[in-house]
Amino acid sequence: MRFAFLSPLLAFATLVAAHPGEHHSFVRKSDELIAHELMARKCAGAIAEFENQRRVAREAKHPYLARRQTPTTTAPTPHYTTIQNSTCVTAVELTEGPYYIRNEYIRYDLRENQGGVTLVLDVGVIDTTTCRPFPNAFVELWAVNATGFYGGYSPGGNVHTDTFLRGGQFTNENGIVELTTLFPGYYTGRTSHIHAMIHKNAQRNANGTIASGSGQVNHIGQFFFDESWNDRVFSTAPYTNTREIRMYNNQDWILWQGGASAFVNTEPLGAALTDGLLGYITVAVDGSKNYRIMNTNVM
């Protein structure tokens, strides 16, 4: 079980200790959320097969994953009519938060010189208006490092200059992109999570960055991880060097809004944690939406 729901008051009380300036709006337009979830459900079959085909292709190329194949993932012509337990889809819009920075680098590897457990994210984007994969969508990620600080906001660092664990890349013709980052740490008031933003028709700047104000923003969300993986990763260095107070999944109000669909399906890339982790997630977006980026900070 990924998380147990606690009293909303407990979750809210814990959040007040979040990073300075961490203000979140918990008021949601329920009709919009319901409509979004229904659109994702309409595409359930396409989404489930979309992720399964990505698994089959990757396992065929990776010796360790191939040894761990199951009858389901090795099916020659997989076809599902419903989202499977192994399929993770994030469709609910979640808060942008105060730590976004515009115009980040277009790149596949976001790690820079940071230490921690490597996380290879296989992100698929599907448009719920068509139930088809979304090519050339810019998938942008940002997250804290192992000790709980965001690049560009870390103590002693250069505000709006540090770029670690930030940036993204465009999906290919099949609506898929692989991004390498680190398993995120946590900070006081939030459980471990990765922020995600999906851009449509985004323009590139001449210096290799994305023009955040160009095109449409079809999705603003967050990815989460099973507590068992959090426990395992956070027991290792440099995660053990943090001074932040850990919040668990069942205490995080924002995770509660996202629900089980916002979890990354995570598995090991090797026998040891140092070999890294692989995570699959499909982001279901409404290609007709255009959400506003609230943060005006620019790299």
Side-chain angles (χ1 to χ4, degrees):
M1 183 173 175
R2 283 174 167 152
F3 56 89
F5 294 123
L6 294 184
S7 163
L9 291 178
L10 173 61
F12 182 80
T14 311
L15 276 172
V16 298
H19 275 196
E22 182 89 28
H23 300 299
H24 303 281
S25 172
F26 301 111
V27 178
R28 309 300 299 178
K29 295 181 179 178
S30 60
D31 55 343
E32 182 178 349
L33 289 179
I34 291 171
H36 198 165
E37 290 171 347
L38 287 175
M39 290 184 73
R41 193 180 306 167
K42 176 194 68 174
C43 301
I47 291 170
E49 183 162 347
F50 182 41
E51 183 163 311
N52 193 75
Q53 289 174 345
R54 285 148 55 198
R55 286 175 173 276
V56 170
R58 184 179 293 276
E59 289 170 350
K61 298 177 182 178
H62 197 292
Y64 184 81
L65 295 176
R67 290 195 296 271
R68 300 176 65 250
Q69 286 178 337
T70 66
T72 299
T73 58
T74 55
T77 54
H79 178 74
Y80 297 118
T81 56
T82 60
I83 294 177
Q84 304 297 291
N85 289 335
S86 63
T87 303
C88 297
V89 181
T90 177
V92 178
E93 308 304 319
L94 295 176
T95 178
E96 173 189 317
Y99 299 109
Y100 180 73
I101 297 179
R102 293 170 178 256
N103 299 0
E104 287 291 355
Y105 283 115
I106 301 170
R107 54 184 178 175
Y108 288 101
D109 193 332
L110 316 183
R111 293 173 296 176
E112 296 188 8
N113 63 347
Q114 295 296 300
V117 175
T118 294
L119 174 65
V120 178
L121 279 176
D122 181 306
V123 182
V125 184
I126 198 161
D127 189 340
T128 57
T129 64
T130 62
C131 292
R132 296 182 62 82
F134 195 157
N136 204 41
F138 186 74
V139 178
E140 182 175 15
L141 306 179
W142 67 103
V144 297
N145 64 7
T147 54
F149 292 101
Y150 287 96
Y153 293 93
S154 55
N158 297 312
V159 176
H160 309 165
T161 302
D162 293 334
T163 58
F164 61 80
L165 305 184
R166 293 182 175 276
Q169 189 57 263
F170 292 88
T171 58
N172 63 17
E173 65 276 10
N174 299 315
I176 303 166
V177 65
E178 179 183 292
L179 295 169
T180 301
T181 183
L182 295 175
F183 195 98
Y186 57 87
Y187 53 91
T188 305
R190 289 302 315 278
T191 191
S192 179
H193 63 283
I194 295 177
H195 290 269
M197 187 178 291
I198 310 297
H199 304 253
K200 179 180 182 179
N201 297 325
Q203 303 300 307
R204 304 167 186 252
N205 293 318
N207 64 352
T209 62
I210 192 72
S212 297
S214 63
Q216 298 172 233
V217 175
N218 296 141
H219 178 81
I220 301 174
Q222 298 178 25
F223 304 160
F224 301 96
F225 302 88
D226 284 350
E227 204 68 273
S228 59
W229 280 115
N230 292 341
D231 289 340
R232 187 173 174 185
V233 171
F234 297 158
S235 66
T236 66
Y239 298 89
T240 51
N241 298 330
T242 185
R243 295 184 179 181
E244 300 296 311
I245 299 172
R246 181 175 173 183
M247 171 174 275
Y248 292 84
N249 287 344
N250 61 6
Q251 298 171 307
D252 192 312
W253 181 275
I254 297 174
L255 184 154
W256 195 16
Q257 290 177 305
S261 65
F263 278 78
V264 176
N265 197 313
T266 309
E267 55 188 81
L269 276 171
L273 193 59
T274 51
D275 295 323
L277 299 173
L278 170 66
Y280 293 94
I281 193 159
T282 298
V283 185
V285 307
D286 182 341
S288 67
K289 293 290 186 181
N290 188 13
Y291 294 94
R292 180 185 175 191
I293 300 174
M294 303 302 293
N295 201 317
T296 58
N297 292 328
V298 179
M299 186 183 74

